[in-house]
Amino acid sequence: LKKDFYESFYGPTLMSNLLFYYLFDEALKNIPLQEKCIYLMENAPWEYALLCAWEKYHKKEIIGINHTTTVYWDLRNHFDKRLFKNRTHNLFYLPSKIGVNGFYARKYYLNIGYENNLIIDLEALRFLHLNHISDLNSNKVDTNYFSRKKLIAFGDIDKKTTFNFYKLLSQISEYINSDYEIIFKPHPFDLTNYKNTNNISVNREDTNQLIKKADVVFLSNMTSTIIETIFNEKKNIVFFNTKLLNLF
């Protein structure tokens, strides 16, 4: 926490946030008046720069979309409840509406202080294909009976976690390579140029397609991909970074 605090007020995080602020301010100042803005809401720093500039120059409806799973321990969503009642002094910026994708998400936001009139119910488009999983699973055929099984590993958005994850994957690959074909998919945000090795092949194919091919899935404890693997009735191995909080 001490390191994060100093980086936020003196270091690279401060510079990044200042850059976000002035870029959004300049962009929204120079575009025609907009009637509506929709953005993916994760309460990242750039979002507050957007909200501030939007309120300053456009003052129209802006909707934050909670596009993935909602978890109770995500402190990015938690604020002093008094801020929700005192939003007229530019102390706290929120979107006009927050789109949630399920009963649990709505209940979660209400419980931590968000007002009911802020929340609108939407569908989780990312997971709509899971509605048909039971039909697909009932007709699936084991095509790997006479061949090596597939272990699909999904990288994490956190680079340090992925580094340790991939290191462990490389170590165990030497022992299971004769029984398993190992495929590694980096996180979409991870642009590292991973190379194929004798034991591990790199594949950036669609996540859902890779899961269908998997016999075993190896993934970190912070990814929502596990929802899809559970629905697909796959065997999961979850990687825990012992230097971070267990967020599983």
Side-chain angles (χ1 to χ4, degrees):
L1 288 179
K2 183 177 179 181
K3 179 175 179 290
D4 290 342
F5 178 86
Y6 280 112
E7 284 191 356
S8 295
F9 284 92
Y10 301 102
T13 304
L14 169 65
M15 299 305 296
S16 175
N17 290 340
L18 287 173
L19 186 62
F20 286 140
Y21 175 83
Y22 285 106
L23 285 173
F24 275 108
D25 188 85
E26 191 68 18
L28 271 64
K29 178 174 65 176
N30 289 291
I31 63 173
L33 185 66
Q34 303 295 305
E35 291 297 320
K36 184 174 293 187
C37 176
I38 298 174
Y39 70 97
L40 298 182
M41 179 179 167
E42 296 179 330
N43 283 333
W46 68 265
E47 297 172 38
Y48 294 102
L50 167 64
L51 289 168
C52 179
W54 183 267
E55 175 66 22
K56 185 177 179 180
Y57 295 112
H58 297 270
K59 298 184 183 297
K60 300 290 185 177
E61 187 175 46
I62 180 168
I63 303 172
I65 306 296
N66 184 321
H67 60 100
T68 185
T69 52
T70 302
V71 285
Y72 71 91
W73 43 255
D74 193 339
L75 297 181
R76 293 175 300 177
N77 298 320
H78 292 254
F79 304 96
D80 188 319
K81 292 184 179 180
R82 290 172 294 182
L83 289 173
F84 294 101
K85 302 181 184 301
N86 187 23
R87 295 172 54 197
T88 58
H89 301 293
N90 294 332
L91 296 176
F92 185 50
Y93 290 97
L94 278 174
S96 313
K97 299 291 182 182
I98 298 172
V100 299
N101 56 31
F103 168 79
Y104 176 81
R106 166 177 276 277
K107 182 179 178 181
Y108 164 79
Y109 277 102
L110 291 175
N111 286 342
I112 62 177
Y114 290 76
E115 298 169 350
N116 186 60
N117 60 4
L118 270 179
I119 301 171
I120 55 177
D121 297 304
L122 302 173
E123 293 179 294
L125 298 180
R126 171 182 173 182
F127 299 117
L128 282 184
H129 66 279
L130 298 179
N131 289 330
H132 310 291
I133 287 296
S134 59
D135 297 332
L136 295 174
N137 285 341
S138 62
N139 297 319
K140 64 184 179 182
V141 177
D142 185 3
T143 58
N144 294 319
Y145 187 81
F146 295 106
S147 60
R148 288 192 304 167
K149 294 185 181 296
K150 287 183 172 62
L151 185 151
I152 312 292
F154 292 96
D156 194 83
I157 190 171
D158 180 73
K159 289 187 177 181
K160 291 181 179 178
T161 297
T162 297
F163 174 81
N164 293 318
F165 175 92
Y166 191 82
K167 182 179 178 180
L168 177 61
L169 185 65
S170 299
Q171 291 171 345
I172 65 175
S173 68
E174 299 177 10
Y175 300 96
I176 66 172
N177 192 248
S178 59
D179 298 316
Y180 285 89
E181 176 187 354
I182 303 174
I183 299 171
F184 172 67
K185 180 186 177 180
H187 189 278
F189 190 73
D190 185 356
L191 301 180
T192 305
N193 186 24
Y194 295 96
K195 302 292 186 182
N196 291 334
T197 69
N198 291 334
N199 298 331
I200 302 173
S201 61
V202 180
N203 191 321
R204 294 183 182 269
E205 189 180 342
D206 175 72
T207 295
N208 188 46
Q209 296 303 316
L210 285 174
I211 291 173
K212 289 178 180 178
K213 299 175 183 178
D215 296 287
V216 179
V217 177
F218 184 38
L219 68 178
S220 80
N221 63 332
M222 292 194 289
T223 177
S224 298
T225 301
I226 196 166
I227 292 176
E228 294 167 274
T229 65
I230 290 173
F231 266 83
N232 278 278
E233 300 178 3
K234 301 299 181 179
K235 296 177 180 178
N236 296 297
I237 301 173
V238 180
F239 172 79
F240 293 96
N241 186 341
T242 55
K243 294 183 180 180
L244 297 176
L245 288 173
N246 177 11
L247 303 179
F248 187 62

